[in-house]
Amino acid sequence: NTYDDGEYKKKIEGYGFKVLKSEFVNNSKENICNSRNVARDYFLKGDYDYFFNLESDVIPPKSIIEELMQWGKDVISGWYYIGQGSFIKRPCLFKGFVPVKMEGGETVFPLDPYETDWFADKRLQRIWLGSMGCCLMKMHILEKIYFKIFPGFESHDDTFFYQDCEIIGIEVY
């Protein structure tokens, strides 16, 4: 969800896709979270089995949905790199977390990324935190979890989504 004069929406619709749009707010994390919840609500009202989230700056192989579905997991993320410019690029998959108390008693988990060499040897690996940038999940997951952020905390809604999966005992891959 970005602010624009409607041209981007028209462009996407011109490719034959239905476009859902959330209300624009001047905070990118909140916009992303709100947009995902609009898509989540639409998904839950429909006759769907899987929710596939792909962010516009992630370009997967054409067969990504089939590749993710073949494992039959409740939540599975595609492996891609984050980082740009002088930042070291690393897989957007994380092997652990450390509980941190926040105002209101919420707990969040700082990230410890997998090293590329370790992860590259595996086709399927349990993770604790991933990204929604390329993620496939079954309907029953989104019936239990909604997307959320906590103002003042650096993490996006995907961090809290994976935290919620851990809390309710859903393994992610």
Side-chain angles (χ1 to χ4, degrees):
N1 183 32
T2 58
Y3 176 77
D4 71 288
D5 59 3
E7 290 303 312
Y8 186 70
K9 180 178 184 275
K10 289 177 192 171
K11 181 177 182 176
I12 299 300
E13 288 172 333
Y15 290 113
F17 294 103
K18 181 174 182 166
V19 176
L20 303 173
K21 201 156 170 50
S22 65
E23 185 178 331
F24 178 80
V25 293
N26 197 21
N27 176 304
S28 65
K29 286 188 283 193
E30 193 173 340
N31 274 326
I32 292 168
C33 183
N34 291 345
S35 293
R36 267 197 257 276
N37 278 318
V38 166
R40 176 189 175 271
D41 292 345
Y42 181 85
F43 169 78
L44 290 175
K45 291 175 187 170
D47 184 25
Y48 304 103
D49 296 321
Y50 291 90
F51 181 91
F52 179 59
N53 192 86
L54 182 65
E55 293 179 358
S56 62
D57 60 349
V58 175
I59 310 210
K62 289 180 180 180
S63 61
I64 190 62
I65 293 174
E66 293 84 0
E67 289 181 35
L68 295 175
M69 286 184 71
Q70 75 177 325
W71 302 102
K73 300 299 181 186
D74 290 338
V75 178
I76 187 165
S77 291
W79 173 15
Y80 62 93
Y81 291 93
I82 60 171
Q84 60 185 354
S86 62
F87 291 101
I88 296 172
K89 292 169 184 56
R90 60 177 172 72
C92 194
L93 301 167
F94 306 94
K95 60 186 170 185
F97 50 83
V98 177
V100 174
K101 293 292 182 186
M102 288 187 59
E103 185 176 329
E106 298 295 337
T107 304
V108 295
F109 307 113
L111 311 176
D112 183 13
Y114 283 107
E115 297 298 323
T116 303
D117 293 341
W118 180 89
F119 201 80
D121 291 338
K122 305 187 176 23
R123 291 268 304 143
L124 179 68
Q125 180 66 37
R126 181 163 188 241
I127 60 171
W128 279 262
L129 290 166
S131 172
M132 296 301 287
C134 181
C135 184
L136 181 73
M137 65 197 77
K138 292 182 179 176
M139 177 180 252
H140 73 94
I141 302 301
L142 290 184
E143 290 173 334
K144 299 173 187 170
I145 299 174
Y146 70 95
F147 301 108
K148 62 187 175 194
I149 60 168
F150 293 96
F153 191 75
E154 192 173 307
S155 293
H156 285 257
D157 62 310
D158 46 9
T159 299
F160 302 109
F161 170 82
Y162 286 99
Q163 172 196 358
D164 287 345
C165 286
E166 179 70 19
I167 289 168
I168 63 175
I170 297 167
E171 292 185 354
V172 296
Y173 293 83

